[in-house]
Amino acid sequence: MQFHQNVDKFKKIYSNKLNLYTMEYFMNQTFSIIKPDATKRNITGSINKLIEKNGLRIIAQKRIKMTNEQAELFYAVHNDKPFFVDLIQYMTSEPVVIQVLAGDNAVKKYREIMGATNPDNAEDGTIRKLFALNVQENSVHGSDSDENARKEIDFFFNENEIVG
Ligand code: IDP
Ligand code: MG
């Protein structure tokens, strides 16, 4: 009896701790793409420099050529938009660098570092203000919520490729 009670108690504490760690782990990661306009112009290092200078860590990174299927699934929320077909064509036109970034409030922080979707509206010093060519060729993607960050990371990375 005593033994079982202790086991239950241990399990309860352990699983609460695990949830806390898991929540913290998830809340501090975001998914990033250095887009075709940037890989084409050979400025992935300049973008990474800004990411690191602003306090985020690149804890996973690989260069891929996105397939049509990957791009269509990844941008499925935009499939009713007038720019969708062009967007898929663009995202598959050149290699991209996909990344997992870590740091406090990584999602929000990276959106700030990136700047507004349209570089004309982006703040000075942001990646998009500095490097984007136009509203489509805007150099980077960053997740817009913790939930989407998780989905996007899981879509492109295996757990053993993320090595904080
Ligand atoms: P975000 O990348 O800032 O989150 P979203 O609205 O999610 O912006 O759009 C996804 C991507 O689709 C943009 O980063 C950009 O490449 C492209 N895009 C968004 N709006 C337009 C537009 O009005 N014209 C052309 N491309 C667009
Ligand atoms: Mg978006």
Side-chain angles (χ1 to χ4, degrees), residues 75 78 111 141-144:
Y75 278 124
H78 293 306
R111 297 290 305 192
H141 163 86
S143 312
D144 60 10

Side-chain angles (χ1 to χ4, degrees), residues 35-87:
K35 292 181 174 180
D37 68 272
T39 59
K40 193 172 182 178
R41 287 178 290 152
N42 205 23
I43 55 170
T44 62
S46 307
I47 291 174
N48 278 349
K49 198 169 176 181
L50 272 177
I51 290 170
E52 293 182 342
K53 198 182 99 189
N54 282 283
L56 291 174
R57 298 183 71 81
I58 301 163
I59 62 167
Q61 175 167 262
K62 57 189 175 187
R63 188 172 170 109
I64 61 165
K65 185 90 171 358
M66 228 186 251
T67 64
N68 260 306
E69 194 190 2
Q70 281 174 320
E72 282 170 5
L73 284 170
F74 183 75
Y75 278 124
V77 298
H78 293 306
N79 67 10
D80 57 348
K81 305 271 169 59
F83 59 79
F84 182 72
V85 173
D86 267 5
L87 178 61

Side-chain angles (χ1 to χ4, degrees), residues 9-123:
K9 198 171 159 192
F10 175 80
K11 268 191 187 161
K12 202 171 166 216
I13 294 166
Y14 188 65
S15 79
N16 282 345
K17 272 209 171 140
L18 209 66
N19 287 342
L20 265 181
Y21 291 144
T22 315
M23 263 170 55
E24 196 178 310
Y25 183 74
F26 286 164
M27 277 190 62
N28 293 322
Q29 290 184 2
T30 192
F31 177 72
S32 160
I33 304 177
I34 302 180
K35 292 181 174 180
D37 68 272
T39 59
K40 193 172 182 178
R41 287 178 290 152
N42 205 23
I43 55 170
T44 62
S46 307
I47 291 174
N48 278 349
K49 198 169 176 181
L50 272 177
I51 290 170
E52 293 182 342
K53 198 182 99 189
N54 282 283
L56 291 174
R57 298 183 71 81
I58 301 163
I59 62 167
Q61 175 167 262
K62 57 189 175 187
R63 188 172 170 109
I64 61 165
K65 185 90 171 358
M66 228 186 251
T67 64
N68 260 306
E69 194 190 2
Q70 281 174 320
E72 282 170 5
L73 284 170
F74 183 75
Y75 278 124
V77 298
H78 293 306
N79 67 10
D80 57 348
K81 305 271 169 59
F83 59 79
F84 182 72
V85 173
D86 267 5
L87 178 61
I88 300 310
Q89 210 279 324
Y90 157 64
M91 289 301 291
T92 55
S93 65
E94 297 279 338
V96 295
V97 175
I98 55 175
Q99 305 174 310
V100 181
L101 308 182
D104 288 343
N105 293 311
V107 167
K108 186 166 173 270
K109 191 168 202 176
Y110 191 44
R111 297 290 305 192
E112 284 166 14
I113 299 167
M114 284 163 51
T117 308
N118 186 336
D120 291 345
N121 304 327
E123 302 273 334

